Amino acid sequence: TVPPKLLTLLIVHKLGRVLLGRKKRGFGEGYYNGFGGKVEPGETIEEAAIREMREEAGVDPVGLECRGLLTFHFDDQERPWEVHVYHAADIRGEPCETDEMAPVWFAVDDIPFDRMWADDPHWYPIFLQGKKFKGTFHFQNTHTMTSHAVQVL
Ligand code: 6U4
Ligand code: NA
Ligand code: NA
């Protein structure tokens, strides 16, 4: 079996709102998403989560907690993706738009799931309740979710 590709996903959740970014290019373009990307050689997963948030929104996340582990199997990719999901209680600085992401705050009751990855409605509610979770998803042709399984830990 092939080793998974490691990625981070960080969601700032403060005062009943979450900070998401509209992805302007690359994988998931046009979707609202947490901030994150690939873990680089020589850094820890948490270091990658912090670096990606800085690169994509120009802010430092504060009070990180790893809440979830999501595994994605894509029919058109050899390696599965292992996405480590972080909760951040706060940020230092003002989010700014970058080449990659346009940041927007959403009330937790108003998260735009119709413009997000298909797996997101299956785990955001658990994430927002402060629980830890694990999920496995299969996708066809990049965007169509063909199976989902989420476990609260
Ligand atoms: P480069 O190539 O350096 O521009 P990088 O920023 O390292 O890319 P990117 O942006 O492609 O990586 O990372 C994908 C981001 O999308 C990660 O934060 C994980 C997140 N992601 C991927 N699949 C997801 C899914 N199905 N649901 C979800 N987030 C997903 O909520
Ligand atoms: Na990214
Ligand atoms: Na990156």
Side-chain angles (χ1 to χ4, degrees), residues 18-91:
V18 291
L19 181 65
L20 302 177
R22 181 174 46 78
K23 203 149 188 290
K24 293 165 68 177
R25 63 168 195 216
F27 197 78
E29 185 179 336
Y31 283 2
Y32 283 95
N33 210 330
F35 300 86
K38 299 170 199 76
V39 178
E40 288 174 0
E43 67 183 357
T44 65
I45 299 171
E46 185 168 309
E47 284 165 355
I50 294 168
R51 174 184 52 73
E52 288 281 349
M53 179 91 214
R54 263 188 213 144
E55 288 178 3
E56 296 182 344
V59 295
D60 285 319
V62 178
L64 265 64
E65 195 182 292
C66 194
R67 290 269 177 92
L69 181 61
L70 305 175
T71 305
F72 296 96
H73 300 275
F74 296 96
D75 66 343
D76 53 359
Q77 287 191 38
E78 197 192 0
R79 302 171 73 191
W81 289 27
E82 196 174 281
V83 178
H84 294 253
V85 184
Y86 285 85
H87 181 279
D90 205 352
I91 44 174

Side-chain angles (χ1 to χ4, degrees), residues 39-153:
V39 178
E40 288 174 0
E43 67 183 357
T44 65
I45 299 171
E46 185 168 309
E47 284 165 355
I50 294 168
R51 174 184 52 73
E52 288 281 349
M53 179 91 214
R54 263 188 213 144
E55 288 178 3
E56 296 182 344
V59 295
D60 285 319
V62 178
L64 265 64
E65 195 182 292
C66 194
R67 290 269 177 92
L69 181 61
L70 305 175
T71 305
F72 296 96
H73 300 275
F74 296 96
D75 66 343
D76 53 359
Q77 287 191 38
E78 197 192 0
R79 302 171 73 191
W81 289 27
E82 196 174 281
V83 178
H84 294 253
V85 184
Y86 285 85
H87 181 279
D90 205 352
I91 44 174
R92 269 194 288 268
E94 263 313 302
C96 62
E97 183 163 341
T98 64
D99 288 350
E100 262 192 82
M101 288 283 230
V104 184
W105 288 100
F106 291 95
V108 294
D109 294 329
D110 205 22
I111 294 174
F113 288 117
D114 57 335
R115 286 173 287 161
M116 293 167 70
W117 283 98
D119 54 286
D120 291 359
H122 296 280
W123 57 265
Y124 264 70
I126 302 166
F127 172 87
L128 294 170
Q129 286 168 21
K131 295 174 185 161
K132 292 198 160 74
F133 56 93
K134 233 161 85 170
T136 303
F137 308 92
H138 286 80
F139 278 80
Q140 245 170 29
N141 303 319
T142 312
H143 294 289
T144 306
M145 190 175 66
T146 53
S147 82
H148 60 90
V150 179
Q151 191 187 352
V152 180
L153 300 175

